Structures are given as structure tokens and as C-alpha cells.
Amino acid sequence: MAREESTREAYGRTLVELGEANPNIVVLDADLARSTQSQMFGHKFPSRFFDLGLAEQNMIGIAAGLAASGKTVFASTFAVFASARCFDQLRMSIAQPRLNVKIVASHGGITVGEDGFSHHAIEDVGLMCSLPGFTVIVPTDAVEAAQAIRAAAALLGPFYIRLSRPKTPVIHEDGYRFVLGKAVTLRPGRDATIIAIGVMVALALEAAHRLREIEGIDCRVLTMPTVKPLDEEAILQAARETGAIVTAEEHLLQGGLGSRVAQVVSSHQPVPMAFIAIKDVYSRSGKPAQLMERCGLTAEDIMDGVRGVVLRKARQMAFRLGGR
Amino acid sequence: MKIGASSPGGSLPDKRCGPTSASAGNNPAEAVSSLATQKGQDRPEAELERLAKSLRRHIITMIGTAGSGHTGGCLSAVEVLVALYFKIMRHRPQDPRWPERDRFILSKGHAAPALYATLAEAGYFPVAELPTLRKMDSRLQGHTDRTITPGVEMSAGSLGQGLSFSIGVALAGRLDSKDYRVYVLLGDGECDEGQVWEAAISAAHFKLDNLTAIVDHNKQQLDGWCSDIMNLEPLAEKWRAFGWQAIEVDGHSIPQILSAAEQARATKGKPTVIIAHTIKGKGVSFMENNLEFHGRAPNAEELAQALKELE
């Protein structure tokens, strides 16, 4: 595999670059700066960095006050605390007033690993997408994370960006350009489409490769880094052209990418769908790879999902033909 | 249902819906108070007292017209608001987002009618707009909304969040080397919220001497007396233990509020909290210390009686 870098490392690096160019950027953390990598900004610009200690609700309120006073504010902690712990504060102080605060949450999903369920954010994307006015991004890799963070800094309004703990393969090439609200086609295909986000993208590519090699199934692979607002056009194009969709996310089934894509598909272009996501349970301690296997988030799971939708598509087609 | 036309307040005589301030013009369309055009800082004390009475008339009329609202906690905060907007703060009603303004953040968002009455008298919007409180498409929401009301700094209503917001505003002032001051009004019941104390720790940690909190200590919360529901005493000692200068005043004495604000301004290196001892429902005999009026509006008869008391 090529180069690996965690998306949170990309965050710290990008924050410093942004801070050099823009004296208006202020960064907050809640005693996890060494983990989220916001410390890199803190070391470079101590007067514009505030560590609020273990007080996420207070951090969100302070972020709102700074933003209301004209600052571009980045506020970071683990995804589980950045979303669920201070949800009412996000709602009251940031979402409704549409203030210019960027919540950059590291340690999304179960690849956090050994710390266990208390540290596994599996509801965060659904929670944050539910807040009117928030833009929600789940970058694929470090290259995209850096660009998404720059895009968020350049636009007014609330953002939630979900990052991961482990080092992950860099998928995008250096010349890649992130466009807010746009899906990216990583692999063309006609038989089915896999729409994946975050750490699932690499697995989706692996699944597509193996399905082609072994079974001759030709899968399109899309990444949907902007989970809100969705690229409805790309979804509907995939539905029209491939007739079957599988979504893959390191998140609960309810409220996440899959349910959002299903809303678009069922409204405009119903096709067979399968959802690779965490079922209605909490996870536990373990190595990331073990947890991904236990929760049904492997390349094999995606392959099973594709086989299922391709079969349903074929049956529907046969039914239609038979009906004539 | 046509909410505007058939709301409970719709049955009230129209004349009550107009400006009740003696100082306001006869034409509601031009009802920006003449007080608003004056310089706040040189206003004599008797005039501030008259203004307080006028605010109380606005408040009960607005809530009575709306048919719902938090009467008691609005009436307890009147003198604090008068002192801030007509004596202490540097602000421009015609330029609500003036960068150099002193900021007032209402954390106890249910006292929104008291703030609206104050802002109207100060000239942020017409007094004639006050009776639209809580009505469909009004700029005067049941709890404050930063996005639509001139002069409102923060959306509030879910308690415990205003102090944190105020700290952000105070930190921004420091970062930008601006000399504006930040005032935030909390309820005493609101101090049950843990976030208030997260914020209190951090304001002292950052030595925010440009920040002054005021606690409207009217001793009651929705379910009863604070001392019975969740005892906060010794409240001033708690703030001191968190690193704040705490000053206790009679919250209905404008001179005492002014003097405490002056002391806060002169104190360097730490934030100040003014514990304003107040009476819930202050100014209307049958509302004072009457728990019933925490979250209920006066009916037409009670409104008439209350207005008579406030003549």
C-alpha cells in the first residue's frame, strides 16, 4: 500500500498553515489537543489557542461567542464528545444562529479501538446532520481532510468534520481537488454502485476490485465526503446508470450516510439498496480490525451487499420481462 | 387556526396594545421613545425610576397580550436592565452591531420581554412593535433569537449557556485589543446548570476583567423556592471560590447597581459577578413572590389591576 497518514495529522498541519495566513483564526480544544492534533496550532500561536479543559459544553458556548465577534473558530475534541456531549449547545449557540464555528472531531467511529464503546462515536454523523444549517464532511484520507478543512475555513457558517484516529491509506493523488458538496468517482462501473465514506472507502475499492476479478461484477465506487448537503445528482445518476446501490460507513445504520442516500433514491429513482453500517448495538474494546469484522464492516461485507443488490436487480428485471 | 387574530390576548382592548410609556408619542407608528434619543449617561435618577415603571407596564401588557410568558422573572430584572442600557453601557441603538459597543447577553432567555421593552425604549425598534410578542412572524420571539431582533446578541432559552458565550465575546475583545465590556444576566435557578460553573471556572482562569455577570437572585424557580428545590447558598461565596469578585446589591436599587458596575470596571485581573437580590414579580402586589407568575401571563382583569398599580 502507498503512503499512510491519519486525517487528524492532516488537521494539525493544515491549522498551522491557515493560522499563518489568517490572524482571525482561533482554535479551541477540550483537553484532547495532543490527540486531535490541535496542539500543533497551540504551539505556534499560543495567544489564539484556548484549551478549555474537560468542559465541552463551555467550549461550544465560547466558540459561539468568539464567532459572533468575527472570529473563524475551530473547536476540536473526540467525535463522541463533540457531538453527543454538547448537542444542545451546538443547537442553541451555533446551529440556530448559524455562527462561523468549525467542529473538527477526531476519533470518529469504532477504529478508535481499545478504548471501547464510550469512545466510539457511532451516532455523530446522524446527530450533526440533524442540525439545520450544519455542513457535515467525512474526509476519505489525509489529502482530502486538509482540503476540506481549508474549504470550511473559507466559508462562513457551521461545519462538522469527522476525522479518524488511525493512520489510513492516502487514496487521492496530490493533484486532487476537493469540491464541497460533490461526490468523487474513484472507479467507473455499470453493474452496481458502492457509495462509501471515511475508512470504508479503501475497503470499497478492495471489494470492487475483487468482485471484478472473481465474479465479473463491475462496480462503480463513489466517495461522498460531503454527507450534508448530499450530491443528489451523483446519487441519482448512479441509480439510473447502475440500478443498484450499496452504502458503506463506519456509523450506525440509522441517521447516517445510508439513510440519507436512501431518502434521495426512494424519492426519485428507487433501486435495490444495501447498507453496510453498524446495526442497532454498541461496540466494545478490541483492535480496530477485529471490531470492523465484528460489526460487519469489511470488504467481504461490502461484497455480500453488492451480490445481494445485483441479484435483486436481476430478479426485478426478469419479473418485468416476464410480465410482458 | 388563525393564531394572530384569535390568540387569548386578541380580546384585550386595542389601546393597551399601544405604547404605554408616558414618554412615548401618541402615534404608535412613531412610538420610539423620546428617552431613546437622549444620552443615557446624563439622565437623572428620577427619570430612570420612571423608565423602570414604564418597562414594567410594557412587560405585563406584552405578556398579557401574548397570553403566555414569564412575568415574574421579567419584573425582577427591570432595574438591572435600566441601569445597563440607560446608564452603564456604551451602545448605539441605530447601529446594533457597532463593533465598539458594550455587549449585553441575556442568558435567562425567558426574560426576553423585559429585554425587548428595554431595547424598544432605547430605540432599537419601535415601542409599537412590543405587542407582537410571541405572535406569528414577529421579530419578538418567546425566547431571544439573535438572528432576527435588533440588539439581541444571543439566541437563548435553554438555560446555562449565556456565560460561556459571553466569555467568547470577552476573549475576542481582548484578542482584538478592544475596550468594550461584556455584561451577562443569569437567573438564580439557572445556576443549577453545570455549564454555568464550567464557564465560571474558565472566566477566572482567563482573568476576564472585561466581563461582568449579574445574577437576578429572585429566590424562586419554576417548581418553588430555590432553597427548597436546589439550594444555591451561599451563592456569593460559591462565585468567590471560583475566582470571581462577588458584589451583593439590592437589585431594585439603581444607585447600588451602578456602584457595583463601577467597582467591576475598576477591578483588574478577575471577572466580577453582581448578585442582585431581587423580588420575583416586583412592582405588582399580587405578583410579588407569587410562584404562579413564574411562567404565566396575567388575564385581562389582572392586567388592568396591575397597570393601575403601575400608574
Side-chain angles (χ1 to χ4, degrees), chain B residues 193-250:
Chain B
E193 292 281 3
Q195 189 186 349
V196 171
W197 302 101
E198 288 183 3
I201 292 168
S202 61
H205 177 81
F206 295 128
K207 300 182 168 55
L208 290 175
D209 50 24
N210 55 350
L211 173 67
T212 302
I214 301 142
V215 178
D216 180 5
H217 197 10
N218 59 32
K219 320 289 190 295
Q220 286 189 329
Q221 53 195 109
L222 192 146
D223 274 346
W225 292 94
C226 297
S227 54
D228 294 330
I229 302 304
M230 191 49 63
N231 187 25
L232 290 161
E233 303 304 334
L235 186 56
E237 282 310 308
K238 282 191 174 68
W239 285 94
R240 287 185 190 115
F242 277 69
W244 290 56
Q245 167 174 246
I247 306 169
E248 298 194 67
V249 301
D250 172 353

Side-chain angles (χ1 to χ4, degrees), chain A residues 215-254:
Chain A
E215 297 161 47
I217 298 175
D218 185 23
C219 277
R220 180 179 300 185
V221 177
L222 295 185
T223 63
M224 195 70 61
T226 311
V227 181
K228 184 186 177 186
L230 278 179
D231 185 348
E232 298 197 6
E233 205 178 314
I235 294 169
L236 294 177
Q237 190 183 346
R240 271 195 310 273
E241 293 176 2
T242 70
I245 292 177
V246 176
T247 60
E249 61 195 305
E250 187 195 4
H251 186 273
L252 278 180
L253 176 58
Q254 55 264 37

Side-chain angles (χ1 to χ4, degrees), chain A residues 64-65 67-69 92-93 96-97 99, chain B residues 85 89-92 95-107 115-116 119 124 144-156 162 165-166 169 180-184:
Chain A
S69 309
M92 287 295 306
S93 300
Q96 192 273 349
L99 288 171
Chain B
Y85 276 88
M89 290 195 334
R90 179 178 71 192
H91 63 120
R92 288 181 179 166
D95 186 7
R97 297 282 191 228
W98 180 40
E100 309 304 320
R101 73 193 182 281
D102 289 337
R103 272 71 164 172
F104 173 75
I105 288 104
L106 182 71
S107 189
L115 177 59
Y116 299 150
L119 291 171
Y124 283 83
T144 52
D145 182 342
R146 168 187 161 79
T147 65
I148 56 173
T149 319
V152 166
E153 299 278 355
M154 187 202 168
S155 299
F165 182 92
S166 306
V169 177
Y180 64 71
R181 297 190 59 79
V182 184
Y183 298 91
V184 51

